[in-house]
Amino acid sequence: MIIRFATTLVIAALILPVAGYAADLKAMKESVKENVGDAVITGKIKAEFAKDKLVKARNIKVDTDDKGVVTLSGNARSKAEMDKAVKIARDTKGVNSVRNEIQIAPARTAAAGDQQPGKERTAGKRRSDHPIDDSVITTKIKAKFVKDKQVRADNIEIKTVNGAVELFGTARTRAKAAHAVVLARQVRGVKSVKNDIQIIPVATAAAGDQKPGKERTADKRRSDQPVDDTWITTKVKAKFVEDKQVSASTIHVKTVNGVVELTGTAKTMDESSKAASLARGVEHVKSVTNNIKVN
């Protein structure tokens, strides 16, 4: 009997470690299974975020614990984006609940707009909605005036605000003023044209013939000048508008006695060089000073 009892003790001593190891192995397998399950849930949610156009996947973090509880953190640009992220997580298979810790952080431009007074915010929205820059519209109208024989000799100025064009200055006849309005309306992006052009009678121009000899000679010399600086500036700007590589809205042109100065900003050295090359190609330009800054 003593022998049987001793044998039983030996067998028990051998079996217990094996049973303990089996229990540990089972627990380890369960832990690995849970970890894999958590990673699968997290991966599925992130994949859905990446597919969704509203949710920015890289800004929202996903963490899943062993009980199927998903925690969302990070930043969303709007409440709509945050709500969509939470819905996607809740709809994912295996998720028991979702803890939302997402912070709403609007884009800088939107945040700046929200801080503006009502009228300024409305004006800002109008500007941002406008497809074409006002300076481009003004330049295109000037280019049309320079090319047109009826109005290029008149002193017509142009101002553009949010696509609304105002024409002022002087024209020799009402017909020429009306023609200037027609040309302005033809430019893409123009919403309306206001005509404030003053009409100078032809008799005023004829008065030049009654001036003394020296004044008449001086006037003649001025009329012999092939082009004025404004014409050159307009021609250069028109070339910028036509060229896809050069930004007409960020590069400024100033002409004095046929010498063109370029200022403003360009995205690359190539754009700066191209702008200078286009300016040099304009007829009657004597030289070009390139002071464009490259961002």
Side-chain angles (χ1 to χ4, degrees):
M1 183 171 178
I2 293 172
I3 294 171
R4 286 182 181 175
F5 181 71
T7 304
T8 302
L9 287 176
V10 171
I11 292 170
L14 292 172
I15 291 173
L16 283 173
V18 174
Y21 174 76
D24 290 343
L25 184 61
K26 183 178 179 182
M28 190 183 299
K29 286 181 178 179
E30 289 295 327
S31 176
V32 171
K33 184 178 179 183
E34 287 173 355
N35 289 336
V36 171
D38 300 342
V40 170
I41 291 172
T42 298
K44 283 184 177 180
I45 294 171
K46 286 184 175 180
E48 290 300 319
F49 284 177
K51 291 178 187 177
D52 194 272
K53 293 181 180 179
L54 180 61
V55 178
K56 204 151 190 173
R58 69 171 180 268
N59 291 342
I60 299 178
K61 299 176 183 177
V62 184
D63 185 51
T64 310
D65 66 15
D66 56 0
K67 296 178 182 178
V69 177
V70 174
T71 301
L72 301 179
S73 58
N75 297 322
R77 293 161 297 176
S78 64
K79 187 177 183 301
E81 182 184 4
M82 179 183 71
D83 292 343
K84 186 66 180 293
V86 172
K87 184 180 185 303
I88 289 173
R90 282 186 181 140
D91 291 345
T92 301
K93 187 177 179 182
V95 173
N96 293 324
S97 64
V98 176
R99 185 181 298 133
N100 181 13
E101 295 178 359
I102 298 171
Q103 300 292 320
I104 296 176
R108 289 181 183 178
T109 50
D114 292 339
Q115 293 169 4
Q116 293 177 352
K119 288 183 178 179
E120 290 184 19
R121 193 160 62 242
T122 304
K125 187 175 185 298
R126 283 201 300 269
R127 283 195 295 271
S128 64
D129 289 344
H130 200 258
I132 302 177
D133 188 271
D134 290 333
S135 63
V136 173
I137 291 174
T138 298
T139 301
K140 285 187 174 183
I141 295 172
K142 284 183 177 180
K144 275 185 170 288
F145 287 0
V146 168
K147 292 177 182 177
D148 193 274
K149 293 180 180 180
Q150 289 191 51
V151 299
R152 67 184 176 193
D154 294 317
N155 185 27
I156 301 174
E157 301 292 334
I158 306 158
K159 182 180 178 182
T160 309
V161 178
N162 297 328
V165 175
E166 180 185 1
L167 302 180
F168 56 98
T170 59
R172 289 168 294 174
T173 64
R174 292 188 183 278
K176 292 181 183 297
H179 185 62
V181 172
V182 171
L183 291 174
R185 285 184 178 141
Q186 291 173 354
V187 173
R188 183 173 173 267
V190 172
K191 294 179 178 178
S192 63
V193 179
K194 183 181 179 183
N195 182 7
D196 287 332
I197 301 170
Q198 300 295 317
I199 307 303
I200 297 179
V202 179
T204 307
D209 294 335
Q210 300 172 5
K211 292 179 181 179
K214 287 185 178 179
E215 290 185 25
R216 206 162 49 240
T217 304
D219 288 344
K220 187 176 186 301
R221 280 201 302 269
R222 282 195 292 272
S223 67
D224 289 342
Q225 178 74 16
V227 288
D228 65 8
D229 293 331
T230 304
W231 186 91
I232 292 174
T233 297
T234 302
K235 275 286 189 180
V236 173
K237 286 184 176 180
K239 278 187 172 289
F240 290 176
V241 170
E242 293 169 0
D243 194 281
K244 293 181 180 179
Q245 190 179 340
V246 176
S247 175
S249 60
T250 60
I251 298 176
H252 309 299
V253 185
K254 182 180 179 182
T255 310
V256 178
N257 296 326
V259 177
V260 175
E261 181 186 8
L262 302 180
T263 57
T265 59
K267 294 178 182 177
T268 63
M269 281 298 296
D270 287 342
E271 182 183 2
S272 173
S273 300
K274 184 63 180 295
S277 175
L278 289 172
R280 289 189 188 102
V282 172
E283 191 179 4
H284 304 298
V285 169
K286 295 176 181 178
S287 64
V288 176
T289 302
N290 187 356
N291 290 327
I292 299 170
K293 293 181 179 179
V294 178
N295 287 336

